[in-house]
Amino acid sequence: MFKSFNVGMQVHPHDIKFEGADTVIDNMQRLGAVTTVYPICNYYEERQPPRNAEFPHNPIRKVYHTRGGLYFDPHLEYYTKSLLKPQRTPDLDLQDFDALSAITDSAKENGMRVLAWILSLTDSILAYRYRKYSMVDIYGKKVSGWLCPSYPEVRRYVLSLIEDIVSSYSVDGIFFDRFRFPEWAGYGKGFDPAFTCFCKECSKRAKRDGIDLSKTRKAMKRIADSVKENRIPQIISKFHNYRKGSLDLAKIFVDLPELGEWINHRQDIITDFVSEAYKSIKDINPKLEFSLDLWPPSYSWLLGQNYQKLRKYCDSLKFFSYHKLGGGEDVKAMFQELKNLNPNLEISSLLNLFYRFFGFSGPNDLDGLGEKGLTVDFVLEETLKALDETKEEARVYPGVQIWDVTPQEVKEAVRKCFEGHVDGIIAFCYGWARLENIKAFGDVIREFK
């Protein structure tokens, strides 16, 4: 079905519209040695690149901010059983442009595979229109932009979306993204969304599974309150001064069984959601590839994504091993948010603790972390964890960062992936990367292939 080494690249609809699908495919194939294109079908406004960043090779627009919604023409007959209806993008430049059709036609003409990239729970237009199905945080507030998969109505819509795409377009499968619980709101919006979900459907499921969610909620609220009430310095001090061992960290889960129960509860919700999507696509055509876009193994289990559970319900998976962005700029922003809550917070101590808990290495100051990120070993270490947790039940495609880095850094990251004997590599992403970086990616692929 897809036994050869997979070389993928993700792409946005504005790249396809303004550069032209043929140009995008030519650059991917000629420079990047790409064999599979991953076009986004619905979106939200990303934090990266920064709002003042320019696209390096887009001839029409040097800056573009998406507003979400669908970037293809939905076929309404597939949504008759869904209360949630597909919402086309309000972006004026893209309203009448079917990006999925354009890129699929060009890719097929050039012998490339296409996996349609869909965001399952965070389509901003859909989430705004159907707020009643939102996730709910520990304080009872709806989480903006996030739909909860515990609602049958949400799952039914996602299954309809999958059926529409694979039945209406010549795609080779689905690339399933944003199926998790939030990490934090980001950039001045606080940490409350990280403590989800306590909606009525999640509560109903918990009761069915014998979980006392009110007890769990009290335990989670104590943790959430420790962040809001600036008790982080005391926690850091404790782990630096006398809670120094790995078993000290493990003891938290022994002393707080509600925490482990809550983590497993969230993982089961996500696994059930993914299993439904997997069954749906296989019922339509068992030859279609169902691929997952995951957080790296070190973090994913905290957000509901358990590789050992999910490996049964996918053909392949990608995780982002972006040592400069995911390991640098995003972590810097999180720590800056904590410092905003407590200006006296000693960042170097917090970073040291973070590195110790996760086994990472990197600079001990925020500016250094934002500029350099984690060391490139992060790429290999996360790849080895992913391979270990999938046990060859699913093909593993590490995701590498090809923007906001030098061509040499791209090459180093790709080589680290190959040290893990992976089944493929996916580059993120086409529009933000300089052409020389796409070529650097392709050069290393050709070395190893």
Side-chain angles (χ1 to χ4, degrees):
M1 181 164 52
F2 37 88
K3 294 181 180 179
S4 59
F5 191 86
N6 182 66
V7 183
M9 189 169 290
Q10 294 169 248
V11 63
H12 296 100
H14 42 272
D15 301 318
I16 301 168
K17 172 68 181 289
F18 299 133
E19 292 193 39
D22 290 345
T23 297
V24 171
I25 291 300
D26 179 63
N27 285 335
M28 283 188 179
Q29 205 168 37
R30 180 173 49 83
L31 299 177
V34 172
T35 61
T36 306
V37 59
Y38 294 77
I40 190 70
C41 296
N42 58 334
Y43 208 49
Y44 65 105
E45 179 53 42
E46 270 274 32
R47 294 196 300 262
Q48 297 295 332
R51 298 193 73 83
N52 61 349
E54 294 186 349
F55 299 136
H57 47 82
N58 192 312
I60 307 297
R61 298 285 291 272
K62 292 303 180 185
V63 177
Y64 194 85
H65 303 302
T66 57
R67 297 174 62 190
L70 297 184
Y71 297 104
F72 69 94
D73 294 326
H75 302 79
L76 297 181
E77 62 267 28
Y78 295 105
Y79 303 87
T80 55
K81 296 180 180 179
S82 173
L83 290 176
L84 281 65
K85 302 302 180 184
Q87 306 295 308
R88 199 66 161 86
T89 181
D91 292 5
L92 294 178
D93 290 308
L94 299 171
Q95 275 183 347
D96 299 320
F97 178 63
D98 190 328
L100 182 56
S101 178
I103 199 72
T104 300
D105 290 347
S106 184
K108 293 299 178 178
E109 288 173 6
N110 288 275
M112 293 174 68
R113 300 171 67 244
V114 178
L115 262 67
W117 171 21
I118 66 171
L119 307 188
S120 57
L121 300 176
T122 57
D123 182 318
S124 54
I125 300 296
L126 194 75
Y128 179 79
R129 179 157 186 165
Y130 297 101
R131 291 186 295 275
K132 65 181 291 185
Y133 302 117
S134 297
M135 292 184 185
V136 175
D137 71 22
I138 193 79
Y139 300 104
K141 297 179 296 185
K142 292 186 182 299
V143 180
S144 177
W146 285 84
L147 297 169
C148 182
S150 288
Y151 284 102
E153 295 85 354
V154 172
R155 295 197 303 273
R156 198 172 297 122
Y157 169 77
V158 174
L159 298 184
S160 299
L161 180 66
I162 290 173
E163 185 181 8
D164 183 3
I165 291 171
V166 300
S167 301
S168 307
Y169 295 88
S170 298
V171 298
D172 298 279
I174 293 292
F175 186 47
F176 204 58
D177 193 6
R178 304 288 284 189
F179 57 96
R180 60 176 176 83
F181 294 96
E183 72 282 18
W184 62 301
Y187 298 90
K189 297 179 182 178
F191 292 90
D192 293 356
F195 299 94
T196 57
C197 176
F198 296 92
C199 72
K200 65 177 184 179
E201 289 297 327
C202 282
S203 299
K204 195 183 299 183
R205 180 190 175 105
K207 185 176 181 180
R208 186 195 73 197
D209 293 345
I211 298 172
D212 185 351
L213 204 60
S214 63
K215 186 177 179 182
T216 303
R217 191 167 188 160
K218 288 178 182 177
M220 294 304 102
K221 193 171 182 298
R222 288 200 300 272
I223 297 172
D225 288 345
S226 70
V227 176
K228 294 174 75 77
E229 295 169 7
N230 297 329
R231 297 203 296 269
I232 297 297
Q234 298 95 304
I235 295 171
I236 294 172
S237 176
K238 177 170 66 175
F239 276 94
H240 272 307
N241 292 334
Y242 58 91
R243 291 288 186 190
K244 296 185 176 183
S246 297
L247 291 179
D248 282 318
L249 184 59
K251 189 173 183 293
I252 293 174
F253 291 91
V254 175
D255 292 341
L256 270 178
E258 303 93 339
L259 179 58
E261 188 175 61
W262 183 65
I263 288 171
N264 280 315
H265 167 68
R266 302 208 311 170
Q267 289 179 357
D268 287 343
I269 290 171
I270 296 302
T271 301
D272 285 351
F273 176 48
V274 171
S275 70
E276 276 196 63
Y278 177 74
K279 183 178 184 301
S280 173
I281 194 171
K282 294 302 179 181
D283 284 347
I284 296 169
N285 183 350
K287 293 183 179 181
L288 293 171
E289 181 174 358
F290 188 65
S291 189
L292 304 180
D293 194 357
L294 296 158
W295 270 53
S298 290
Y299 303 115
S300 62
W301 61 280
L302 291 167
L303 304 177
Q305 296 177 336
N306 182 313
Y307 282 52
Q308 295 181 47
K309 294 177 181 179
L310 292 172
R311 69 191 185 197
K312 302 174 184 176
Y313 304 111
C314 66
D315 300 299
S316 59
L317 58 87
K318 170 236 174 182
F319 54 92
F320 64 83
S321 55
Y322 313 149
H323 64 292
K324 282 199 69 176
L325 174 68
E329 189 64 37
D330 282 359
V331 176
K332 173 189 173 182
M334 181 179 70
F335 288 160
Q336 187 61 58
E337 184 76 8
L338 287 171
K339 191 168 179 61
N340 291 341
L341 291 172
N342 187 337
N344 298 319
L345 190 64
E346 189 179 337
I347 291 296
S348 60
S349 296
L350 180 58
L351 274 171
N352 285 332
L353 195 64
F354 173 79
Y355 292 150
R356 179 156 68 88
F357 281 175
F358 286 101
F360 301 156
S361 56
N364 286 323
D365 64 282
L366 288 186
D367 288 340
L369 184 63
E371 180 183 348
K372 299 178 182 178
L374 302 175
T375 63
V376 73
D377 288 335
F378 174 82
V379 177
L380 175 59
E381 290 161 2
E382 295 304 303
T383 297
L384 294 176
K385 289 177 186 178
L387 289 166
D388 184 49
E389 294 191 25
T390 53
K391 304 297 184 188
E392 298 185 350
E393 289 189 37
R395 289 163 61 84
V396 174
Y397 309 149
V400 296
Q401 177 182 352
I402 61 170
W403 85 102
D404 198 28
V405 290
T406 66
Q408 184 57 37
E409 287 172 319
V410 172
K411 291 180 178 181
E412 289 173 1
V414 176
R415 288 182 179 128
K416 284 293 181 183
C417 294
F418 275 108
E419 287 184 41
H421 305 293
V422 294
D423 302 295
I425 297 175
I426 298 177
F428 187 81
C429 63
Y430 173 82
W432 301 348
R434 298 192 302 275
L435 293 179
E436 54 262 41
N437 282 14
I438 295 175
K439 183 178 183 301
F441 174 79
D443 286 347
V444 180
I445 296 294
R446 292 183 178 99
E447 279 179 29
F448 284 88
K449 287 185 71 177

